[in-house]
Amino acid sequence: MLRTTIRNLMARKIRLVTTGIAVLLGVAFMSGSLTLTATITHTFDNLFVDVFAGTDAYVRGQEAFDASGPGNFGAVTRPRVDASLVSTVAAVPGVKAAEGNLTGYAQIVGKNGKAVGKPGNGPPTFGGNWPKVAAFNAYHLVAGHAPEADDQIVIDAGSADKGDYAAGDTATVLTKAGPIQAQVVGVAKFGEVDSALGSTFVFFTDRAAQRYLATPGKYDGISVVAEHGMSESAVAERIRAALPTGTEVVTGARMTKENQDDVAQALSFFGTFMNIFSIIALFVGSFIIYNTFSILVAQRSREMALLRAIGASRRQVTNSVLLEAFVVGTLAAVLGLGAGIGVAAGLKALLDVIGFDIPATGMVLTGNTVIVSLVVGIVISLVAAWFPARRAAKVAPIAAMRDVAVERADRSRLRIGLGGLVTALGVLALLGGLFGDVSNPLRLVGLGALLTMVGVAALGVLFARPATRLLGAPLERLRGVTGHLARENAMRNPRRTSTTASALMIGVALVGFITIFASSAKASLNKTFDDQFTGDFVVDSGTFGFGGLSPELATRLRDTPQVAAVSSHRITSVELDGAVTQLNGFDPVGLERIADIGIVQGKAADLDATGLAVQEKKAKDKHWTIGSKVPVTFAETGTRELTVRAIYRDHSVAGQPGLNEFVGLAVFERNVPDAFDSQVYATLAPGVSVTQGRAAIEAVTANYPNAKVQDREQYKKAQTAQINPLLALIYVLLLLAVIIALLGIANTLGLSIVERTRELGLLRAVGMTRRQMRSMIRWESVLIALFGTLGGLGVGLFFGWALVHALADQGFNVFRIPVVSLAVISILAALVGVVAAAVPARRAARLDVLRAIATE
Amino acid sequence: MSTSTAAYTDKARKVYGRGDTEVVALDDVSIAFDAGQFTAIMGPSGSGKSTLMHCIAGLDELTSGRAFIGDVDLSTLDDKALTLIRREKIGFIFQAFNLVPTLTALENITLPLALAGADPDQQWLDTVVGTVGLADRLRHRPSELSGGQQQRVAVARALASRPEIVFADEPTGNLDSRAGTEILAFMQKAVVELEQTIVMVTHDPVSASYASRVIFLNDGRVVSELTDPTPESVLDRMKQFGE
Ligand SMILES: Nc1ncnc2c1ncn2[C@@H]1O[C@H](COP(=O)(O)OP(=O)(O)OP(=O)(O)O)[C@@H](O)[C@H]1O
Ligand SMILES: [Mg+2]
């Protein structure tokens, strides 16, 4: 049997190559994303090893709440320590040196007037105090000297390069305290490189750092070097005894590990995100394997029957098919693994292009990646070939005596029954996950979506004939007999057509779903904004939590006569009633004049230093009413009882979605020391035109190069455009599934052509030109593609509808079907059909007529 | 009945393979087929009958010499022009698998016309369909027709575009004698009543006797010829060449 298998493999090289490529692409993507994730993790691991290399112990405030978990990366959870603690720690026996450490937001403005770096969606822009103890300083001067006065700074070589600065220049630095002027007295490098993973750094003296970045008299923590011969844990032990309550000490090793773990946590989200696309690609690939082996088995059923007739057992026949799948799967997985390294580099480049600047140096292929990729590639191949293999074994020996055994184009009851059942289960799981109250909804929704697609693919056999008949109807008028033949060919084997189309169906379902979802999200944002925002301008920083606009800017706007009302927006991480969340703060008085968020109970004006506003539904769920006390834990000040003072209707304020609660700025003033404004909203005074208003506002913002002044329309556009990079990324990643589907169509067509050699030869003999032959194959392909697209759009529409309605709570108040986009998707899918047909059509046209006629 | 030439060859030579494996399938064959005639080609297996037919019909290329349809030299034509000649001037009937399974009988019959984007001459079509006796079967697919009916559809298809010449390679080879006789009768009728030109390859002396002229091939050469054959005279001649 082994020899037969090998012979079969050789004889069907081309088919198996395309089938193999389908698996290869999936595996390559999987190993690529695993490799990229591992590489990024590795890069950060090394970074933190370098940063904490000279630190034996670190003293810091105790965590106010635990924000470890995906989505909370970078959340500040600890209060700062008093500067006086430095001398206490330094005095502990065994401590060789101790120094306060401070890091915060600072952004240098280049000579061209533009701020260097994009803290909103790129590496952070740091400011800090210049460590005088060399062991704590990961940077070293390459020019000039350390800052000695409060108006002197050292910048990293990357910033010096981008901002066009050299030692001796005067530069503007954006800080919490507003833009400041400082003299660049030195330029420093991070080890060998200009800057650490693309982040920028402005170093001040301790006093200036406290003033501009944090709070006078405070440090983030205290770095410690031990005396020679003193272990990290021993020195930490001694320091611990000297610490006041509310502070703690950890070893340098622990510090390194914690930082590494935080990054790994944050990346796990990225890893999951990429894995979803690997699974999609492999899922689509499995359809190709299934289909190819089904057709091959059908075409070889005579040979199988012969084998059975001369004494091969069923198991031997099954195994021979599975062995083929195993060989193909293994080869594809191995090659895919290799290709994965290229994919990783490509993904990184792609992320760069789309605007996610990801640090990664030198690709890291882990053992885990190798094993997962190989196992997944091989197992997928075997599972997908299992059903065709079983079918092969069922070929009766007698079939060898019968004439041509074409694939049974049956619509077996079992398939339809199972398809219906799986679809029903999938829909149930999906809806259950979305609307039900389950512990792990995402997983249930994913499973539901997967099952729905498998079920619909199985049911496709019911629709393949009527659908292609309908879709092909105009073709006859357009293309005459070629079109007629194309339509008939698409209709002749519903099972093959539907399985082939399934792969594309899945791709289109996902693309359609994302498109519908994104357009609904944008429409919802716009609608809410239009309904509630009564202001005229938004000054946007483009950041979310780290850094932003100096509060000074809002103050200055308030003093501008052309501006009638101002409200600024701040964000911080807190623990609210037991859950870590982003807390939003607004200027309550200004807010009422800028947005009508539908306050149903209480008053915004009541939002004092202990007031809390809660969204209606959340209040109901939590049984909160006006006057309810809600515990909120802040990093700096610990747990505070806030009192519900207002209950409102909308889920978003001025385009900021997911707003389940907010507080007045007074709460921020009291509990969040280094607050920045993410946005500042402004309403113009009566009689001031938009042009005059803009001029007045821009006169203020001119000093803040990170401030973007946008009128209503500009802001709306910018808000909705925020989804675009992510959307673009998802589209590109889904493209992979579409390419695999394309391979699948090409494969089926190729196999069909082999099967129809005689028929094609006959057509050529009686006068079909090569061009007509190509056109016939192409249109068949387009019909299959359109059929898949139609199914995909149906499924995508359902997914989109379900998700949008499930998220009604989160402010999704519009379900929008983007007709134009969906039409474009359909046209593109038809083009996929054209591309997929290119090679098979050429081969069919090149067919040797005589050989075709003579073929047995 | 016109006496012009529908197709002819001039020193047609076809060699397959090279060196040791060289086979001369046609050895400088010069032969003409008059319009309005029913010609049968006979000869032992491997004598080059199919090859001759394929080369005159523009399905295969000669190694040397020339083949003409009417007065068009096929060797001067590219694939596209050959295809157009096939669909406009030539009709084909093969031994089996003559029909496109996805098309109905009528669609199969009009296929060459449809490929040319031409409207069928309805009157002619009715005549042809009437002649082969298929009027009530036109909406059926090939799989719903018997082997004999399928060949009748093939004959009708070959005649539908009123070609200059029809080539049939053992058209009755797969049929029982009754069905075969029917087909031959139709072909004869097409020549006599509808003034068509048919060239048919056959192994069967009775079939050959339906033709007005029989050409004998052996080893790629025309070795003999008979006009107004009867089964007996054909058989006699065949014995002469040891078939
Ligand atoms: N494609 C080919 N390659 C090599 N030799 C060929 C090829 N086609 C035909 N031949 C040879 O050319 C010779 C003539 O073949 P041809 O098919 O014309 O014979 P035929 O008279 O039609 O025979 P039959 O009665 O068996 O159909 C034979 O010897 C055959 O082996
Ligand atoms: Mg022959």
Side-chain angles (χ1 to χ4, degrees), chain A residues 734-787:
Chain A
L734 284 177
L735 194 66
L736 183 72
V738 174
I739 289 173
I740 296 176
L742 186 150
L743 282 175
I745 297 178
N747 223 11
T748 304
L749 287 175
L751 287 163
S752 298
I753 282 167
V754 172
E755 212 168 79
R756 297 179 199 153
T757 302
R758 286 194 77 156
E759 184 180 325
L760 298 178
L762 174 72
L763 284 167
R764 292 278 288 129
V766 301
M768 179 175 266
T769 59
R770 286 189 169 151
R771 179 201 283 262
Q772 284 175 318
M773 169 105 14
R774 282 195 297 266
S775 152
M776 178 179 84
I777 308 269
R778 208 179 298 127
W779 282 112
E780 176 181 354
S781 178
V782 168
L783 282 180
I784 296 176
L786 281 178
F787 170 58

Side-chain angles (χ1 to χ4, degrees), chain B residues 16 23 25 44-51 170 203:
Chain B
Y16 289 111
V23 177
S45 190
S47 56
K49 306 180 293 290
S50 295
T51 306
E170 303 185 46
H203 282 280

Side-chain angles (χ1 to χ4, degrees), chain B residues 1-38:
Chain B
M1 211 184 271
S2 86
T3 51
S4 66
T5 303
Y8 67 99
T9 63
D10 176 23
K11 297 225 180 82
R13 187 174 181 80
K14 179 77 184 177
V15 183
Y16 289 111
R18 214 162 263 188
D20 285 351
T21 60
E22 187 178 278
V23 177
V24 181
L26 294 179
D27 193 356
D28 291 344
V29 175
S30 297
I31 189 168
F33 301 104
D34 286 342
Q37 272 217 349
F38 188 178

Side-chain angles (χ1 to χ4, degrees), chain A residues 189-539:
Chain A
K189 277 195 172 190
F190 182 86
E192 299 290 295
V193 296
D194 285 355
S195 61
L197 306 183
S199 62
T200 66
F201 231 114
V202 180
F203 293 99
F204 300 87
T205 60
D206 283 24
R207 216 167 51 146
Q210 287 175 347
R211 169 137 53 102
Y212 298 136
L213 314 176
T215 326
K218 296 269 187 183
Y219 286 112
D220 287 349
I222 300 163
S223 307
V224 175
V225 211
E227 294 282 6
H228 189 71
M230 188 96 189
S231 77
E232 288 197 348
S233 48
V235 80
E237 207 50 56
R238 287 197 190 170
I239 294 169
R240 185 162 299 128
L243 291 180
T245 49
T247 55
E248 63 180 22
V249 59
V250 288
T251 60
R254 169 80 187 271
M255 208 51 198
T256 309
K257 179 80 170 52
E258 278 184 12
N259 278 280
Q260 291 174 341
D261 289 351
D262 280 355
V263 169
Q265 266 269 308
L267 281 177
S268 74
F269 172 75
F270 172 76
T272 309
F273 178 78
M274 295 308 256
N275 270 339
I276 289 175
F277 290 93
S278 314
I279 291 170
I280 293 169
L282 287 162
F283 182 54
V284 173
S286 67
F287 274 79
I288 313 294
I289 301 175
Y290 168 79
N291 205 25
T292 308
F293 276 93
S294 292
I295 301 175
L296 288 179
V297 162
Q299 290 181 353
R300 281 196 335 238
S301 56
R302 241 174 134 177
E303 181 187 320
M304 308 268 176
L306 195 65
L307 285 173
R308 294 271 287 120
I310 61 172
S313 70
R314 282 189 170 204
R315 177 172 292 263
Q316 278 174 316
V317 172
T318 308
N319 285 351
S320 81
V321 175
L322 285 180
L323 188 62
E324 253 183 83
F326 178 76
V327 174
V328 173
T330 308
L331 275 176
V334 169
L335 294 175
L337 186 61
I341 297 184
V343 170
L347 278 176
K348 183 182 170 333
L350 171 71
L351 289 166
D352 279 353
V353 167
I354 292 177
F356 301 94
D357 201 349
I358 281 196
T361 43
M363 289 302 164
V364 180
L365 187 67
T366 64
N368 184 40
T369 304
V370 174
I371 294 168
V372 169
S373 305
L374 291 183
V375 167
V376 165
I378 294 168
V379 167
I380 287 261
S381 305
L382 287 179
V383 169
W386 170 253
F387 300 96
R390 284 281 307 279
R391 221 175 297 137
K394 284 202 191 126
V395 174
I398 191 72
M401 296 3 145
R402 282 204 294 263
D403 206 25
V404 263
V406 249
E407 188 182 1
R408 276 190 342 210
D410 66 354
R411 305 197 237 156
S412 84
R413 286 219 181 123
L414 187 69
R415 183 183 166 120
I416 290 161
L418 274 179
L421 189 72
V422 171
T423 311
L425 279 177
V427 170
L428 264 176
L430 187 81
L431 296 181
L434 286 177
F435 296 97
D437 191 16
V438 289
S439 57
N440 200 339
L442 263 181
R443 216 161 270 172
L444 196 60
V445 168
L447 183 73
L450 219 65
L451 286 180
T452 307
M453 289 191 279
V454 172
V456 171
L459 289 180
V461 71
L462 281 178
F463 305 106
R465 200 187 286 265
T468 43
R469 187 199 303 275
L470 198 75
L471 287 168
L475 213 54
E476 294 210 42
R477 232 160 300 137
L478 244 73
R479 281 276 165 273
V481 72
T482 346
H484 179 56
L485 283 165
R487 180 186 180 202
E488 293 290 341
N489 284 339
M491 284 165 56
R492 75 203 277 177
N493 190 335
R495 190 155 97 184
R496 186 179 296 182
T497 299
S498 78
T499 316
T500 307
S502 296
L504 188 62
M505 185 266 288
I506 294 165
V508 171
L510 296 171
V511 172
F513 156 65
I514 293 293
T515 308
I516 290 163
F517 183 66
S519 112
S520 299
K522 288 178 179 176
S524 299
L525 271 178
N526 281 341
K527 181 175 181 324
T528 311
F529 187 86
D530 286 340
D531 286 353
Q532 66 166 213
F533 192 68
T534 52
D536 297 300
F537 279 98
V538 179
V539 182

